[in-house]
Amino acid sequence: MSNPSLMVVALTLLVAPTATAQVDGPGPSSTVLHRLSPSSTVLDHPPLPPDYPFLARGRHVIGIEVGLLSRTSTTTTTSGSGVATDTRVTGFIGALRYGYWAGQYWTVGVSVGVIAAEASASAGVGETRSESAAVVPLLVAFRFYPPQLALSSSLRLYGSFAVGPYLGFATNTVVGTSIASETVSEAAFGARARAGADLFAGTHVLLGFSVGYNFVSDFDRDIGSDRNYSGLELALGLGFVFGSGRP
């Protein structure tokens, strides 16, 4: 007669749920079966697509971003009482960012950059005037790569949202019979929404393109030529990916 204890163990192994995960290694990719405990489910760690470039969860990325900011400013003309509205490309945007893959399809990170940097100088009768200004965003960012929208195994679409302070700095100096200098430093709350695509060029290089919009509250005083630096941005990115991924 069969041992009842052995029969119970055999039945338990047959009905216990399993999950699959890829192993990232130098050889051909392989699949490993993991026996789940009664308290875990397959939804805890959804299986990766067979052609996903690498196990992302637990890895890090450090990158740079460059681009252009386009914003709308309202100014009062000096020739009359009318108000003229113009849209212009402010210029260079630069940022350093760090991201951590807390899951296979999403990252959390921080970025620090410079947008809307301006510098000007003018000379009049008996005096010289110079102005410089910059807006520095310090943001906490979240980025999500929907697996259903992946264009290929290496080209991934994403959506991103970031919040944090936008720090404004301005210096105005007038040199004449005397020297007068004024420094302005303020902070305004802002947020940035983005949609873009990242290309995983191997396991350590990340190339990206994004379109986004900065929503920034008004500064109390002028920072450069304006008090508000909301606007559309276009950016290119280059990142270095490092660390060990896991399922």
Side-chain angles (χ1 to χ4, degrees):
M1 179 178 292
S2 302
N3 190 323
S5 298
L6 293 178
M7 293 180 64
V8 171
V9 172
L11 288 174
T12 302
L13 291 175
L14 286 174
V15 300
T18 61
T20 61
Q22 284 187 312
V23 176
D24 189 25
S29 60
S30 59
T31 301
V32 178
L33 295 179
H34 294 280
R35 187 68 59 181
L36 299 179
S37 64
S39 62
S40 63
T41 67
V42 175
L43 294 179
D44 291 337
H45 303 295
L48 294 172
D51 56 355
Y52 201 74
F54 57 78
L55 294 175
R57 184 169 178 259
R59 304 195 79 180
H60 311 262
V61 59
I62 294 178
I64 60 173
E65 297 173 337
V66 295
L68 297 174
L69 174 71
S70 175
R71 59 189 176 86
T72 302
S73 64
T74 302
T75 58
T76 303
T77 61
T78 57
S79 58
S81 59
V83 176
T85 302
D86 66 302
T87 303
R88 64 184 184 275
V89 174
T90 302
F92 173 78
I93 301 174
L96 294 174
R97 79 176 187 95
Y98 164 79
Y100 172 73
W101 268 276
Q104 299 294 355
Y105 303 110
W106 62 282
T107 69
V108 60
V110 295
S111 70
V112 54
V114 177
I115 65 173
E118 300 179 359
S120 63
S122 60
V125 178
E127 69 175 26
T128 301
R129 179 185 299 269
S130 64
E131 300 177 354
S132 62
V135 176
V136 178
L138 301 176
L139 305 177
V140 177
F142 303 88
R143 183 175 297 198
F144 177 63
Y145 300 85
Q148 301 86 351
L149 300 182
L151 299 180
S152 70
S153 62
S154 299
L155 185 58
R156 306 273 159 168
L157 300 180
Y158 70 84
S160 174
F161 184 75
V163 294
Y166 284 64
L167 307 180
F169 303 95
T171 301
N172 305 318
T173 303
V174 178
V175 179
T177 55
S178 61
I179 299 176
S181 181
E182 178 188 32
T183 300
V184 178
S185 177
E186 293 190 8
F189 180 79
R192 184 190 67 203
R194 275 182 176 177
D198 278 345
L199 175 64
F200 295 86
T203 58
H204 296 291
V205 178
L206 190 63
L207 305 175
F209 169 78
S210 65
V211 178
Y213 196 90
N214 291 272
F215 303 87
V216 187
S217 60
D218 290 348
F219 291 104
D220 293 334
R221 301 180 61 183
D222 287 347
I223 302 297
S225 59
D226 289 302
R227 296 190 179 189
N228 187 281
Y229 283 85
S230 299
L232 179 72
E233 68 170 50
L234 302 174
L236 298 174
L238 172 64
F240 173 70
V241 181
F242 62 97
S244 299
R246 61 183 187 273

